[in-house]
Amino acid sequence: MSDRTTLVLVSGGMDSALALLNELEEGNRGTIIAMHCDYGQAQRVPERDAARRVCETLSIPLLERGLPTLAGGGGDVVWARNLILVSIAANEVARRGGGDVVIGCCAEDEVGFPDCRVPFIDAVNNTLQLAELDVTVRAPSASMTKAQVLRSWPWTLTHEALAQTYSCYRGVSPPCGECPACVKRAAAFGEIGYPDPAIPC
């Protein structure tokens, strides 16, 4: 067993919860921790609460970081968000002796979120090498759709964790069902033909 640290960025949403589950399933990357960041997003309270519930369900330590409010560019895009979050996570991992940062990007994110694309992840890793940090950023699902990621998991493992997640840019309860986060999530569950465990029947 490695003594290195794997830190999973956990937003409280479905993608990051599945990324965390993936690391637990692999079980060979040393100490696994999670980090949630409040950067002034409209949905910060329900996301924070969801991140706490997910990590409690999976018995994973959760680090919480409060950041200055990050300016958005409209259309739910926050400029340089993942660059900032990954940098903070890399700092934490380096402080602990090195390891990995995991982010739950999916293929659907590529259109509106340039910092979810594989070239961005590659560039970040090049930068970390130049900074001489023993940290690697991984985005295991970056080339997969949300439905493909969901299909890859046995539901006995995922149902309880996903029931704790929250995906809505408007930060309302219940989720609005109309914003891009809600629409993409509903489409993924619709494609696999399974009810969303976070939505009451």
Side-chain angles (χ1 to χ4, degrees), residues 73-94:
D76 301 309
V77 175
V78 177
W79 293 310
R81 180 188 62 177
N82 284 346
L83 179 60
I84 294 167
L85 300 184
V86 165
S87 296
I88 292 169
N91 175 272
E92 181 67 31
V93 171

Side-chain angles (χ1 to χ4, degrees), residues 24-97:
L24 289 171
E25 180 71 4
E26 289 193 7
N28 61 353
R29 297 188 183 275
T31 300
I32 298 175
I33 60 175
M35 176 182 285
H36 175 79
C37 294
D38 178 344
Y39 52 89
Q41 63 270 46
Q43 66 275 28
R44 61 186 176 276
V45 173
E47 280 192 345
R48 178 204 64 202
D49 293 346
R52 290 173 177 174
R53 292 193 303 267
V54 168
C55 290
E56 182 177 357
T57 297
L58 298 175
S59 299
I60 293 295
L62 176 65
L63 307 177
E64 298 186 35
R65 297 290 184 264
L67 311 180
T69 297
L70 303 182
D76 301 309
V77 175
V78 177
W79 293 310
R81 180 188 62 177
N82 284 346
L83 179 60
I84 294 167
L85 300 184
V86 165
S87 296
I88 292 169
N91 175 272
E92 181 67 31
V93 171
R95 185 182 70 81
R96 292 167 178 259

Side-chain angles (χ1 to χ4, degrees), residues 165-183:
T165 60
Y166 178 87
S167 303
C168 179
Y169 289 144
R170 295 180 183 171
V172 296
S173 183
C176 71
E178 300 174 349
C179 71
C182 286
V183 170

Side-chain angles (χ1 to χ4, degrees), residues 1-4 6 22-32 100 138:
M1 176 68 71
S2 170
D3 60 357
R4 294 169 66 77
T6 294
N22 183 65
E23 297 308 309
L24 289 171
E25 180 71 4
E26 289 193 7
N28 61 353
R29 297 188 183 275
T31 300
I32 298 175
D100 294 352
R138 294 188 288 110

